[in-house]
Amino acid sequence: MLRLALTEIRRAKLRFGLLIGAVALLVFLILFQQTLAAGLLGSFTGGLENQSAEVLVFNADARGAVEGSVVTPDQVDAVAQVDGVARAEPLGEGTFTADVGEGELVDTTVFGFVLGGPGEPTTLVEGRLPERDGEAVASDVDADAGFGIGDVVSIVPGDVPVEIVGLASDARFSVQPTLYTTYATYEQLVVAGNPEAPSVLPTLVAVQPEPGIDPEALATSIDEAVEGVDASDVATAIDNLPGVGSITQSFAVILLLAFIVVVLVTWVFFLILTVQKTSSLTLLRAVGASTWFLLANIALQVAIVAVAGIALAAGLLWLATRGGSGGLEVTADPSLILRTGAAILVLALVSSIASMRRVARLDPAAATQRQAGGGLE
């Protein structure tokens, strides 16, 4: 069976080569879109997703928007008193302008957390967490843009210096450079930008549940016990961020169309190929080849085309991600390639069912009824 399948592919190298190329380009499109979507969503939500709090408490009127949330100290204290809460601390978030040197100004998200409390970054890859005011952990993708370890950025207005002491992966928020610093430093930045502000209110309450307490159940308890707040576990809070649903749905539609095109291309190619080989396949049946042998031959050719296309697509993805993607954190994820490749292989085999059904209906006796097949007429 393997020999027959490979022999046919070798004798029709151009035909199968073009199909493999088409499949490779389509699979690359699928992989790259998935990688780009993951990178975009990661840069949009990573700073909030990869921090240590398991429950986040918003102002009820914020509708899940971090920038629109403000909680009061009384609400922070009330959340801390809810049964099942191990620790609740204020978490500040805001967008500031950072001078990264030579007058270059960059919009930067700043998270302010209480040292040792919930809200600190969890994906540290280099350096250390802040230990005192004026220190910060930055998103590692921005290390070469003035946010490397040892760099000091100046937050304007106020020219408040912040030293970078650590780098964290997947730590961007709102698709811009992100800093995690102490809550006192965050307050200093807010006051420097608005000296007439009577006080600095937290953006969120970062909550760490007691051991064994389910974050979703705790969020419900907080909502019931504290007036004017909207608590969510981190996963739900990420899903409810404005724009996340739209981005996810848009990419899902594009991916669905790409998967459909892969199925259609494979289906049409092998159906046409089967029609062209009807006489040869009928003759093989007449000389004793079983239906299962011929069906397995088609399945093997489909698998070879799909696997070769997936392998080429993986190589193209690796080359594309090496070139960078405009500041987004995009990498060729092996698990993504394997999952997508498996799905493509299954869909390709399913698309070949039409060809297999045609082969299964071949009548060996038809080989004796045609001159081209060695018939008697």
Side-chain angles (χ1 to χ4, degrees), residues 31-372:
L31 290 173
F32 187 74
Q33 286 176 338
Q34 289 177 305
T35 301
L36 188 61
L40 179 59
L41 286 173
S43 292
F44 191 69
T45 67
L48 196 64
E49 184 176 9
N50 295 310
Q51 48 78 41
S52 61
E54 296 183 44
V55 176
L56 297 171
V57 182
F58 295 73
N59 182 290
D61 295 328
R63 301 175 62 86
V66 176
E67 295 282 355
S69 179
V70 175
V71 295
T72 66
D74 289 341
Q75 287 174 324
V76 177
D77 294 338
V79 169
Q81 300 304 314
V82 175
D83 291 340
V85 174
R87 188 170 180 181
E89 298 289 356
L91 181 66
E93 186 276 342
T95 299
F96 300 86
T97 301
D99 185 343
V100 296
E102 298 182 357
E104 182 180 355
L105 302 180
V106 180
D107 287 338
T108 305
T109 298
V110 176
F111 283 100
F113 66 95
V114 175
L115 292 180
E120 65 184 16
T122 58
T123 54
L124 196 70
V125 293
E126 188 177 350
R128 59 176 174 82
L129 294 174
E131 296 176 350
R132 61 185 64 87
D133 295 342
E135 295 182 340
V137 168
S139 44
D140 63 345
V141 73
D142 301 301
D144 295 331
F147 294 90
I149 292 180
D151 290 337
V152 177
V153 299
S154 179
I155 307 298
V156 295
D159 294 326
V160 180
V162 177
E163 181 184 0
I164 310 302
V165 297
L167 297 175
S169 63
D170 299 319
R172 271 188 160 198
F173 189 70
S174 297
V175 199
Q176 58 190 16
T178 300
L179 300 177
Y180 294 86
T181 188
T182 67
Y183 190 75
T185 302
Y186 168 78
E187 289 181 312
Q188 184 182 2
L189 298 180
V190 174
V191 171
N194 186 9
E196 297 182 1
S199 62
V200 178
L201 297 178
T203 306
L204 309 170
V205 185
V207 177
Q208 186 63 43
E210 292 181 351
I213 299 297
D214 179 59
E216 290 187 32
L218 181 58
T220 301
S221 298
I222 293 173
D223 285 339
E224 294 172 350
V226 183
E227 185 177 356
V229 301
D230 180 15
S232 303
D233 64 281
V234 172
T236 301
I238 295 300
D239 291 339
N240 291 338
L241 287 174
V244 170
S246 299
I247 294 173
T248 303
Q249 291 175 5
S250 298
F251 275 99
V253 171
I254 295 173
L255 289 173
L256 176 60
L257 293 175
F259 273 107
I260 291 174
V261 172
V262 171
V263 172
L264 289 176
V265 168
T266 307
W267 171 61
V268 171
F269 175 86
F270 279 96
L271 184 59
I272 293 174
L273 187 63
T274 301
V275 172
Q276 293 175 341
K277 298 190 305 180
T278 297
S279 298
S280 300
L281 294 173
T282 303
L283 186 59
L284 285 173
R285 287 283 289 115
V287 298
S290 68
T291 299
W292 287 110
F293 175 83
L294 297 180
L295 295 181
N297 181 67
I298 293 176
L300 181 58
Q301 287 182 339
V302 171
I304 291 173
V305 168
V307 171
I310 293 165
L312 285 174
L316 291 173
L317 179 66
W318 180 76
L319 291 174
T321 54
R322 284 196 65 187
S325 186
L328 292 181
E329 297 181 81
V330 291
T331 56
D333 183 1
S335 63
L336 172 65
I337 295 173
L338 290 175
R339 290 196 306 270
T340 302
I344 292 294
L345 178 58
V346 171
L347 289 173
L349 290 172
V350 170
S351 70
S352 68
I353 290 177
S355 300
M356 292 182 180
R357 290 182 60 186
R358 190 176 184 88
V359 171
R361 291 197 300 264
L362 291 177
D363 182 6
T368 65
Q369 299 173 1
R370 298 180 56 190
Q371 292 287 351

